[in-house]
Amino acid sequence: MAKNGFLLISLLPFILFLQMSVLGGATTTHDDRKVYIVYLGSLSRGEYETSSQHQSILQEVVEGSPVENVLVRSYKRSFSGFAAKLTDHERQKLASMEEVVSVFPSRTLQLHTTRSWDFMGFNQSITRKRSVESDIIVGIIDTGIWPESKSFGDKGFGPVPKKWKGACKGGINFPCNNKIIGARYYPTPVVYDNIARDYEGHGTHAASIASGNEVKDVSFFGVGQGTARGGVPSTRVAVYKVCSPAGCTEEAILAAFDDAIADGVDILTISIGGTHPVNFTEDSVAIGSFHAMAKGVLTLQSAGNSGPYLSSTVSVAPWLMSVAASTTDRLFIDKVVLGSGQTLVGYSINTFSMKGEKFPLVDGRNVSRPCKQPLAFQVCTGGQGCLDSTLAKGKILICQSSDEFSEVLRSGAGGSVSLNDDKIGKVSFVVSFPSVAVSKDNFTSIYSYLKSTKKPEAEILTTEAIMDSDAPVVSGFSSRGPNEIAPDILKPDISAPGVDILAAFSPFGVPIGDPLFKRQVTYSILSGTSMSCPHVAGVAAYVKSFHPDWSPSALKSAIMTTARPMNASKNKDAEFAFGSGHINPVEAVNPGLVYETFEQDYIIMLCSMGYDEGNIGKISGNFSTCPKGSDKATPRDLNYPSMAAQVSPGRSFTINFSRTVTNVGLANTTYKAKILQNSKIGVKVVPQALTFKYLNEKKSFRVTVTGRGLSNGTIVSTSLIWADGNHNVRSPIVVHSLG
């Protein structure tokens, strides 16, 4: 990714960048063994398995080491598998065994609010079913939680729901209560503190966005003042700690899914993923969320922070919900006032006041000393020792970018002005001293002032909040589609607030990536798809409180088909940036129609994609063969709430989408089809009207899309809306010729 340094250091300081990046593959032991995940599929007949069964499999292949020293952990509560330290030869032998679905390295992944809920129309006066909400359990797979936060107090909460089968195993001095009803941690080479307590802040932040209590007068040193609250404050929280500053191993992630499903969570949110998508049977999140879906649990996953590049999303499985990050109408800005009186606007979360004093303004290149990397002083890169503190002290430095602030702060400089990454857009990051990132035009104006003035000086003001009428706009860092694994499944699915979100934080966490930042905070401002994902988890819990018996696909469909349309002129990648649109929590409760998809439908899709028939039987647990005709199906035949197809450039095309909707709105009603016209394609719907006599009645229809051929790299989209006068059920239709 180009110029990702500023994003990396700011989106989630403590180096747990909100995007998942692979740090280096599997763990290596002293005898050159590496940790691999051996996935065996569903549990036999729904029964629990034992570690001894997994040891028996290992005994057939392991050479030169006791099996008990090789087995890392077993997955035996919700699906079957294990993690083990294997040689490459042992891995190959296991992969060839009939009972094994897949063997893949345990990658080490990285981690991918006061105003955001009001911006979505989800204010404190909305209708709620609090007694039902309090029975909903949201599982958080992340860095743990800070249990003493006000966002997780249990005042007013009743006893733990009777359905809960989990436990409070958070470690020494970790207190659960009637809000945080479960906690587990998974020791690995990168998670070494043996406690579910969050020392980073990321997990606490995510949990409070989804389920945090209402806490008044919250701010980040005065910035963003207001009442912090989660989407559904009455829900319970179960915490599964799989991450540390070093990352999140896949063997721990699968263990968390295994426990969470068996514990009885209703919703799972995970803001973790890799640098690139992998096959479903080698992706821990795809595997875990498949078994969650089969048990009635909807999984929300962050799309990733590798935008604005196409095909950058790693959250591609159709049975989970992929979430992009967008802005809200509250924009945090900062200003730099030049000695000439000119005021220029930039972006940062700066809480350090210069108290009306102006400081000398200098080019970073003029306060440097010789160093190994001659360009490092231009970008104020930390750790290089390029800045001369005798020249930089007490001055505001102009830097081409700010990959890290520690070098500037260490030099004794009074502040910095840097060039904002246009690809990221209007995102403000927490800074450890007066600093602001400005646009290219404003950066040029500052340089012109510097060169035209004998004694240039400037003052950097503290951050203020203004209204942003352009919102919502998908952030530049948010990962984009198309889906590299299944190009005919549109990803991401939905967009939600993920820019400059204020929520609970760990007092031991560092709000920025600068170890010299010594302030402790209990609420912090972060940006990333890690923030948008728990917003949708909160909405899913809210919808489930009205419809406790709805399937994961019904919940997902309700959220997608009621989403607010977003402006493609402000989001050049259109649906590949925002999916079905911007989340609309209140409308999602009453969608009218839903597109339901069940385990067998996904099995047919996997068959159509050429996955091994024997392995598919192990995954589903019924050991059945692929249904007749599935070899002629395609992923776009899946009964998905959106419709997408990849076509060959320059060739005419005719594409058919077959869909079935279930009436969850009103009896004795008729829906009529409406197509938002696009001159580049023709769209026909048959039939054009669907009449329902009863609730839960199903009706099918077909959409045919035709075109004369698209030039290479083209995205064309429209929407199908089923309307009955009370509901508007909207599905995006996307045709693309992206490779």
Side-chain angles (χ1 to χ4, degrees), residues 14 16 143 193 198-202 243-245 505-506 508-510:
F14 29 87
L16 294 178
T143 63
D193 47 15
D198 181 11
Y199 291 105
E200 319 307 324
H202 187 274
C243 302
S244 75
F505 201 68
S506 168
F508 279 78
V510 181

Side-chain angles (χ1 to χ4, degrees), residues 658-669:
S658 296
R659 293 292 188 268
T660 299
V661 288
T662 303
N663 179 27
V664 295
L666 301 170
N668 297 311
T669 187

Side-chain angles (χ1 to χ4, degrees), residues 191-466:
V191 179
Y192 41 77
D193 47 15
N194 294 330
I195 192 170
R197 188 175 291 279
D198 181 11
Y199 291 105
E200 319 307 324
H202 187 274
T204 301
H205 202 270
S208 69
I209 292 172
S211 300
N213 300 331
E214 294 180 6
V215 183
K216 296 180 179 179
D217 297 324
V218 166
S219 72
F220 182 78
F221 298 104
V223 177
Q225 184 82 29
T227 298
R229 58 187 173 92
V232 190
S234 301
T235 53
R236 317 298 178 115
V237 174
V239 181
Y240 303 87
K241 180 176 179 177
V242 299
C243 302
S244 75
C248 326
T249 65
E250 288 198 288
E251 48 111 340
I253 291 168
L254 262 183
F257 271 106
D258 189 33
D259 281 331
I261 298 165
D263 286 347
V265 303
D266 297 293
I267 303 290
L268 272 170
T269 177
I270 178 168
S271 295
I272 299 171
T275 54
H276 58 279
V278 295
N279 285 331
F280 298 139
T281 56
E282 298 180 358
D283 180 341
S284 59
V285 179
I287 292 170
S289 60
F290 179 89
H291 292 285
M293 172 275 302
K295 296 295 175 60
V297 179
L298 176 62
T299 300
L300 296 306
Q301 186 187 17
S302 52
N305 297 332
S306 297
Y309 307 104
L310 291 170
S311 300
S312 55
T313 183
V314 297
S315 178
V316 294
W319 46 80
L320 57 75
M321 195 163 192
S322 311
V323 187
S326 51
T327 59
T328 72
D329 61 351
R330 182 175 65 180
L331 177 64
F332 292 124
I333 63 166
D334 204 352
K335 297 176 180 177
V336 55
V337 182
L338 304 179
S340 63
Q342 185 179 11
T343 299
L344 301 171
V345 174
Y347 304 100
S348 70
I349 306 296
N350 171 39
T351 59
F352 299 89
S353 174
M354 289 186 165
K355 300 178 180 179
E357 182 180 356
K358 287 185 170 56
F359 290 75
L361 185 66
V362 298
D363 190 330
R365 291 172 290 189
N366 296 332
V367 293
S368 64
R369 60 165 66 98
C371 58
K372 294 181 180 179
Q373 297 186 21
L375 296 179
F377 57 81
Q378 294 184 34
V379 296
C380 304
T381 301
Q384 301 298 328
C386 297
L387 294 176
D388 188 333
S389 59
T390 60
L391 299 174
K393 187 175 182 180
K395 298 180 176 64
I396 295 176
L397 308 188
I398 302 176
C399 309
Q400 292 293 323
S401 72
S402 288
D403 287 352
E404 297 181 30
F405 295 107
S406 55
E407 177 73 359
V408 180
L409 186 58
R410 195 176 287 113
S411 74
S416 73
V417 176
S418 59
L419 180 62
N420 192 40
D421 188 343
D422 290 338
K423 295 185 183 70
I424 297 172
K426 298 186 287 188
V427 183
S428 292
F429 304 106
V430 174
V431 295
S432 53
F433 67 110
S435 183
V436 61
V438 299
S439 67
K440 184 176 181 180
D441 288 344
N442 285 349
F443 193 75
T444 300
S445 295
I446 292 172
Y447 253 116
S448 297
Y449 166 72
L450 177 73
K451 295 176 180 179
S452 63
T453 308
K454 291 184 177 179
K455 293 184 177 181
E457 57 183 7
E459 177 189 4
I460 299 172
L461 306 182
T462 55
T463 295
E464 61 183 275
I466 63 172

